[in-house]
Amino acid sequence: MSFTPFKLAISAEMVFLDLPFVERVKRIHGLGFSVEIWNWTSKDIQALVATGADFTSMTGYIEGNLIDPEGIRQLLDSAKESLAIAAQLGCPSLNLHGTGLDGQGLPVKPVIQTTGRMWLNACKTLEKIARLGEDAGRVFLLENLNTEVDHPGTPFARADETLALIEAVGSPHLKMNLDLYHAQIGEGNLIELIQRAGSAIGEIQVADVPGRMEPGTGEIHYPAIARTLFGMGYSGVVGLEGWASGDSEVALERFRQAFTLDG
């Protein structure tokens, strides 16, 4: 008997691109998946609520960064605003990056080298973020990115860096959004990385390499990833944050199959 031990979610930003955004959410929900969104400021929140969809993750800030005073202030203020929207959507997790990203995914303030002072500031800022999450009963997720292809100049981008910050804070309200597409490009050894991250994982995001499309289109053997996660006892969210190589509905089914296990 086959079964799926994870909650499968789809980024509405990257599939069914021929549909208006709310219609994408309805389509994903109708196919039995949870939904993830990026920048909530560009969305009709009440229309999204009315879809009845299960929202698992959304971007948890509007602007700011982890390292300089003005950026920290902006990050904390916009995290508070984002928590209010998450409450409306019933969304348990809010996503963060090492710095604010522009519309092309490039850092608003690129960093060539992270200094000791930057690490200290980032840790202190994330402690404050975690307390905001605790007060609101929600979890912030710090996502790893790749700097080789998609996000050059982003500080704290590598998975080992994001994991180090999360472990330093040590709060259940700050966990890792372990994006395996980004990790494969930047680091590889995905199964060892997953096992190393362990209980720090708050979500797994996936897409294949190269191309950032659904599982089965590239070099990552996602069924092995699924077995590893299940063997560790992970039963949380696995999110497809990738483009469809062709028909979106077919891509979603390939994603489901990759994370379906034989009993």
Side-chain angles (χ1 to χ4, degrees):
M1 179 182 296
S2 297
F3 65 102
T4 303
F6 317 107
K7 176 177 279 194
L8 300 183
I10 308 294
S11 172
E13 312 284 347
M14 303 180 79
V15 296
F16 298 116
L17 299 181
D18 56 324
L19 297 177
F21 195 83
V22 172
E23 296 305 313
R24 295 182 209 174
V25 170
K26 290 179 180 178
R27 187 75 174 273
I28 292 166
H29 175 56
L31 291 169
F33 295 93
S34 297
V35 178
E36 301 192 344
I37 66 173
W38 293 346
N39 179 9
W40 56 265
T41 66
S42 62
K43 311 294 192 294
D44 183 337
I45 301 302
Q46 293 310 309
L48 292 180
V49 171
T51 66
D54 174 43
F55 294 93
T56 53
S57 177
M58 54 175 272
T59 300
Y61 70 106
I62 303 166
E63 57 184 347
N65 61 55
L66 298 172
I67 53 180
D68 63 75
E70 179 60 18
I72 291 169
R73 183 194 64 76
Q74 292 173 338
L75 180 68
L76 293 172
D77 287 347
S78 61
K80 293 173 186 175
E81 293 182 66
S82 299
L83 283 167
I85 301 301
Q88 293 182 53
L89 292 172
C91 184
S93 300
L94 297 91
N95 207 45
L96 298 173
H97 307 106
T99 188
L101 304 175
D102 66 17
Q104 287 71 50
L106 299 177
V108 175
K109 290 186 176 182
V111 174
I112 297 174
Q113 182 178 7
T114 51
T115 65
R117 175 59 62 184
M118 290 178 181
W119 277 93
L120 288 172
N121 286 347
C123 189
K124 291 177 181 178
T125 304
L126 289 170
E127 288 174 348
K128 294 176 182 177
I129 287 286
R131 286 196 290 271
L132 290 176
E134 182 176 10
D135 291 343
R138 308 204 182 270
V139 177
F140 281 92
L141 304 174
L142 185 61
E143 181 183 4
N144 63 295
L145 302 171
N146 79 79
T147 57
E148 290 83 356
V149 176
D150 298 288
H151 307 286
T154 301
F156 317 112
R158 287 174 56 89
D160 59 356
E161 294 171 333
T162 59
L163 180 57
L165 287 169
I166 289 161
E167 289 179 335
V169 172
S171 168
H173 295 276
L174 179 71
K175 288 187 173 288
M176 186 176 190
N177 183 352
L178 179 50
D179 190 308
L180 297 180
Y181 161 79
H182 291 305
Q184 174 68 0
I185 292 173
E187 293 155 88
N189 295 323
L190 298 184
I191 287 178
E192 289 185 6
L193 176 59
I194 290 167
Q195 292 171 335
R196 165 73 181 87
S199 61
I201 298 172
E203 178 175 342
I204 296 286
Q205 285 190 333
V206 308
D208 222 330
V209 177
R212 201 175 187 180
M213 294 181 285
E214 76 271 10
T217 57
E219 67 191 17
I220 303 176
H221 187 52
Y222 272 113
I225 299 292
R227 290 194 296 272
T228 297
L229 289 168
F230 179 68
M232 292 168 52
Y234 181 80
S235 59
V237 175
V238 177
L240 176 64
E241 192 178 53
W243 313 105
S245 61
D247 180 79
S248 289
E249 194 163 331
V250 171
L252 269 58
E253 186 54 34
R254 288 174 177 164
F255 167 58
R256 194 198 303 271
Q257 289 173 0
F259 286 90
T260 297
L261 304 177
D262 294 326

